Structures are given as structure tokens and as C-alpha cells.
Amino acid sequence: HQLERILNERALGKFEVMNAGIYGSGTGEQVAWYEQWPIRFAPSIVVLTVYENDLRDDRRRPAFILRENELVPRTEADLQESAKEQSSVRSITRSLPGYSFLSQHSHLLNLLRRAATTRLQPAAQESPSEVSAARQAEEAATRQRIQRLELSRLQGLVSGAGARLVVVYIPPRDAIWKTRATPDSDELSAGLKESCLSLGLPFKDLTSALQGEYTPAEPLYFGGDVHCNPAGYLAIARGVSGLLEAEKLLGE
């Protein structure tokens, strides 16, 4: 809504913006989802927003596996098996009166749903302290390679339909509240920038833009969790609009 309003201030009624995001999904899931549904709406521009936990979500619920440096979609049987772990939570929450409305309007319900599903994620076999630095670096490199291949797959789908793909990095709350990026945030942003450069994709890290709009009176993020408040989403919309303008994607 914010982005559509900003874009239409320069060309009244010309732009329609759809939020096709899925709650709690990683980059691979978003690529798989785009293939199934948003592509049917024939968008002229696709904006992929990446948050700092998307790589972790990819690791927990991979939509694709890496085989000989190629992405292979997981089978339907694999995906259904993974879904069984969360089916009990879904069945309980979806049976609540007014669940559909609340899932779209209740911040509290979504916090409870996230807490419940997080507990169902498989525990790591080793704690971070037990994993060698070399292994951590190897795993990080693998995750980045998978994400690059996911971006390439999405780019092929988008460009094949005659549209343009741009990528935006949304910083975590701590990178804004501490007015500096965190090591993990820096690493993910740098990896995304490198991947987008190699693929020829427009990319923008919104960290400095949000830091510039942050004040204690307007923190941009909710205090109780990691999500942006309305002012934060407005700042993100301005950043996306600026990227589209800079890349001359909006036409005359």
C-alpha cells in the first residue's frame, strides 16, 4: 500500500502493487511460491526483499537441494513430510473462530504462531561453539551459493515473462537501533550484493536509509519483535521507490 501510494504520486493511477509475500518464508520458498502463483498476475517488476533470517529459513525448510552445483526442487513427498511436523499447530490455530481475519490483522496471533512453529524446528546437532570456524565458513559459502542459484532461478522466471527483477535487503532491527550493521547483517548484504552483481540484478541495501530515518521517538521497528512498524514500512517503500527510479524501471 505504501509503495503503491508513493509511485502513484508521480503517475496517478498508473501503478498497482501486490504484496505476494508469505509469512516466515525463506528465499527458496519464495522462488517456489512465485512459480506457483504470483507469476500468474504477469507483473512488470518483481521486488524480492531479503531479510537476515531468510538463509536460516532456507536451511530449516529447503525448497531446493544442491546437486552437482544445480538446484533441484524437493519432491512433493519430501515437502509433505516436513509439513507434518507443523500440521498439529495449523489444525489448532485454523480452527479458531475468525482465524482468517485475525491472521491478517492480529500482530499477537502471528507472534504466537511463530513461537509455536519455531519450537517444532529440528534442533541443531551441534551448538555454534562446537562447530569449527572452517565448517562454519563452508556452510556459509554453501548457503550463499544456494541463494545465488535461487536468485538465478527467479531471474529466469521473471525475465522469461518479460519482467524485471530487483533485490532489496531489509536490515534487522539491531542494525538500526544500534545505528550500525551487525556482522551477520554485513555478511548477508555483501553476499547478496556479490550475487546480484554477478547476475546483473539491481540491488539495494536499505540499512543506511533506515538508519537515517531512525530516532528514539520513531524507532521504525516494534519493540516486542523484529518486525517493522508502519513508519518502518514507509521507509522501506521509499527505499524501494528510490531504487526503481534510479534503475529507470518506472517509465515516463
Side-chain angles (χ1 to χ4, degrees):
H1 172 75
Q2 302 274 31
L3 180 58
E4 183 174 290
R5 180 179 57 79
I6 290 171
L7 295 180
N8 282 325
E9 284 177 355
R10 66 184 295 281
L12 184 62
K14 180 178 180 180
F15 297 99
E16 179 182 8
V17 180
M18 172 191 293
N19 179 1
I22 294 293
Y23 176 90
S25 59
T27 304
E29 292 171 309
Q30 292 157 17
V31 174
W33 165 238
Y34 182 81
E35 291 185 57
Q36 294 297 316
W37 189 249
I39 195 173
R40 302 183 185 190
F41 292 87
S44 58
I45 301 171
V46 176
V47 181
L48 175 69
T49 56
V50 180
Y51 190 66
E52 57 96 19
N53 63 355
D54 286 354
L55 285 179
R56 292 198 301 273
D57 287 337
D58 270 358
R59 186 180 179 184
R60 290 169 173 167
R61 302 181 308 275
F64 303 92
I65 58 175
L66 187 60
R67 184 177 298 160
E68 297 180 357
N69 208 36
E70 289 188 5
L71 281 187
V72 178
R74 294 180 66 191
T75 65
E76 188 66 27
D78 286 342
L79 296 174
Q80 288 179 359
E81 186 64 27
S82 298
K84 286 180 182 178
E85 297 179 355
Q86 299 184 20
S87 62
S88 60
V89 174
R90 291 195 184 101
S91 63
I92 293 172
T93 56
R94 290 179 179 177
S95 66
L96 294 172
Y99 170 80
S100 179
F101 176 84
L102 290 173
S103 67
Q104 298 179 59
H105 297 85
S106 171
H107 194 58
L108 177 59
L109 174 63
N110 285 312
L111 284 175
L112 294 173
R113 185 170 62 177
R114 170 170 288 242
T117 54
T118 298
R119 285 199 300 271
L120 291 175
Q121 299 294 346
Q125 298 300 312
E126 301 169 287
S127 67
S129 62
E130 295 171 331
V131 180
S132 68
R135 170 129 175 234
Q136 289 184 47
E138 181 182 354
E139 290 181 350
T142 299
R143 289 196 295 272
Q144 183 177 330
R145 185 161 67 251
I146 290 174
Q147 188 176 59
R148 181 176 302 183
L149 290 169
E150 290 168 344
L151 289 175
S152 178
R153 186 184 183 94
L154 181 58
Q155 181 185 29
L157 291 166
V158 173
S159 62
R164 291 290 304 276
L165 173 65
V166 302
V167 180
V168 174
Y169 175 65
I170 309 297
R173 181 184 62 186
D174 286 350
I176 304 305
W177 285 14
K178 295 176 181 177
T179 66
R180 60 177 176 80
T182 62
D184 287 346
S185 176
D186 277 338
E187 181 180 344
L188 177 54
S189 176
L192 271 173
K193 183 177 181 179
E194 180 183 338
S195 295
C196 290
L197 183 63
S198 69
L199 296 170
L201 291 174
F203 169 76
K204 186 169 186 177
D205 180 342
L206 294 184
T207 300
S208 60
L210 267 64
Q211 287 174 345
E213 296 202 30
Y214 164 82
T215 67
E218 187 47 82
L220 304 182
Y221 290 73
F222 287 109
D225 68 36
V226 298
H227 295 91
C228 288
N229 60 25
Y233 283 117
L234 176 58
I236 290 171
R238 289 195 191 107
V240 172
S241 174
L243 175 60
L244 301 180
E245 288 270 12
E247 293 295 328
K248 297 180 172 55
L249 297 178
L250 299 178
E252 298 299 329

